[in-house]
Amino acid sequence: MLVSQNLVTDNVSVVEGEMAIISCRVKDNDDSVIQLLNPNRQTIYFRDMRPLKDARFQLVNFSENELRVSLSNVSLSDEGRYVCQLYTDPPQEAYADITVLIPPGNPIIEARDEVLSEGNETEMTCTAMSSKPAATIRWMKGDKELPGKPRVELTYDKMYTVTSRLTFTVSKEDDGVPVVCIVDHPAVKDFQAQKYLEVQYKPEVKIVVEFPQGLTREGENLELTCKAKGKPQPQRVSWVKVDDDVPSHAVITGADLYIENLNKSYNGTYRCMASNAVGESFDDYILYVYDSRAGEGAPRTVDHAVIGGVVAVVVFAMLCLLIVLGRYFARHKGTYFTHEAKGADDAADADTAIINAEGGHTNSDEKKEYYI
């Protein structure tokens, strides 16, 4: 027999129960006969005739260049090498390998612990049974992929069973998060199983100041609320004062602490504690009582500073104005002269001077003034 490039065919992979198509093709045919043989070399089709009494084989197409046959309801026993044969001298052959895919059963996921505590390690297993070929298994916790340890077993019927083991440590953030086992196999898609984690964790404690919103002053009241959340939910919340006793008139109602008429003897650290089956947690509030008028002087100090600044600017402006005016008058200082008694200076005696002076008053047209 001659394996010729003139006669071609293709390998086929088919899922069990589905249909396989086998095609024998001739590139250059010289009227030679084409036939198809099964793995036992029994003739399935000779040209367009079917000698084999297996109705699952049906003719799809026959021509000088192709013999195409379908095989329905494929089973594992149909797997093997099929022969396309061309009657030439010598005969030519081409081989088509049929591989039957068998999907695994539904994946089975199991957890060692149904309920977990934060910080503990747990283990899960996922099993994909009776597949061909062997499946692969991946793990996802939320949106994060985790590595598992696979083990593959070949069973007596030539099937594969795969078991993957996953070990990881849980935290409180894992509570309610799904762990997904994903099975990858050429015969199936989106094959998976999942299990939700239930993680218990100790309480988360936070003290909230309900009143006052600002400074805690003498004579005022104090109201604190302790908020605690855990799994299981804490059933007991208690208040203590670190290194001292809680004031005798303090009122504790469940998670609330109320102290009225504060004074400085109440200063200290107040602690809220909450517990559940997993553990105990606490939060602290440091109380410092200020004077009754603490914080009130700050705005007035700011007002006085502003007023002082304005006054200083005004005084400075007035001083500058006085200096400028003084310099101006100093530069324009002069002497005032008149000629009203001009004749008196040249008179021989007093009487003549008086007469001359009086005469000067009568002649106002000759009066002149000089300003220097």
Side-chain angles (χ1 to χ4, degrees), residues 26-296:
V26 181
K27 294 181 180 179
D28 298 310
N29 195 354
D30 54 359
D31 294 331
S32 299
V33 176
I34 306 174
Q35 69 172 351
L36 176 65
L37 311 177
N38 66 13
N40 297 322
R41 298 195 70 88
Q42 296 171 325
T43 301
I44 301 172
Y45 267 91
F46 181 84
R47 297 177 62 90
D48 57 350
M49 295 178 292
R50 177 167 55 84
L52 189 67
K53 296 181 179 180
D54 188 343
R56 294 182 304 145
F57 290 98
Q58 294 293 322
L59 184 65
V60 177
N61 181 55
F62 174 74
S63 67
E64 292 183 355
N65 298 100
E66 183 186 32
L67 173 62
R68 191 190 311 167
V69 177
S70 66
L71 171 60
S72 60
N73 193 22
V74 175
S75 66
L76 187 59
S77 61
D78 296 320
E79 192 172 64
R81 172 165 288 188
Y82 289 74
V83 182
C84 293
Q85 192 175 81
L86 183 65
Y87 270 96
T88 58
D89 187 19
Q92 302 177 36
E93 290 186 352
Y95 306 105
D97 291 327
I98 290 185
T99 301
V100 179
L101 307 176
I102 301 178
N106 291 330
I108 301 171
I109 187 170
E110 295 178 320
R112 185 182 66 190
D113 308 294
E114 292 298 325
V115 180
L116 299 159
S117 295
E118 62 174 333
N120 288 354
E121 186 179 78
T122 189
E123 184 178 279
M124 289 186 174
T125 59
C126 181
T127 304
M129 301 179 64
S130 302
S131 69
K132 182 180 176 297
T136 58
I137 295 177
R138 296 181 292 121
W139 290 94
M140 297 290 293
K141 186 184 72 170
D143 56 358
K144 182 180 180 181
E145 185 168 353
L146 301 179
K149 295 181 179 179
R151 186 180 77 248
V152 180
E153 297 179 13
L154 180 61
T155 60
Y156 69 94
D157 54 355
K158 298 183 180 180
M159 298 293 182
Y160 294 91
T161 295
V162 181
T163 302
S164 179
R165 192 177 305 274
L166 176 67
T167 303
F168 60 99
T169 301
V170 297
S171 64
K172 62 184 178 183
E173 289 78 16
D174 291 327
D175 184 46
V177 174
V179 177
V180 184
C181 160
I182 304 172
V183 177
D184 294 324
H185 191 274
V188 291
K189 294 181 179 179
D190 299 326
F191 215 32
Q192 63 184 32
Q194 67 180 13
K195 192 173 186 64
Y196 287 90
L197 294 172
E198 184 176 351
V199 181
Q200 294 185 341
Y201 52 92
K202 64 182 181 180
E204 298 173 323
V205 182
K206 181 177 178 59
I207 296 176
V208 178
V209 181
E210 303 290 351
F211 185 85
Q213 298 300 320
L215 298 178
T216 49
R217 302 182 181 89
E218 286 185 302
E220 293 184 346
N221 301 330
L222 173 68
E223 183 177 354
L224 304 177
T225 297
C226 181
K227 297 185 179 296
K229 177 185 177 183
K231 188 173 183 178
Q233 186 66 22
Q235 300 297 320
R236 181 173 175 270
V237 176
S238 59
W239 286 93
V240 297
K241 185 178 181 184
V242 178
D243 299 329
D244 202 352
D245 295 329
V246 176
S248 57
H249 70 284
V251 178
I252 298 177
T253 305
D256 297 331
L257 171 65
Y258 181 77
I259 305 176
E260 63 179 8
N261 194 20
L262 293 173
N263 63 63
K264 294 188 177 182
S265 67
Y266 299 156
N267 288 348
T269 301
Y270 291 80
R271 176 170 295 173
C272 169
M273 298 184 298
S275 61
N276 60 12
V278 181
E280 183 179 75
S281 301
F282 65 87
D283 190 24
D284 289 341
Y285 172 78
I286 299 176
L287 173 63
Y288 183 84
V289 179
Y290 292 85
D291 293 334
S292 58
R293 301 187 64 183
E296 296 180 359

Side-chain angles (χ1 to χ4, degrees), residues 1-12:
M1 298 298 175
L2 177 65
V3 178
S4 173
Q5 295 182 352
N6 188 45
L7 180 64
V8 294
T9 186
D10 303 300
N11 294 329
V12 180

Side-chain angles (χ1 to χ4, degrees), residues 9-20:
T9 186
D10 303 300
N11 294 329
V12 180
S13 293
V14 59
V15 177
E16 184 181 35
E18 296 185 358
M19 178 182 290

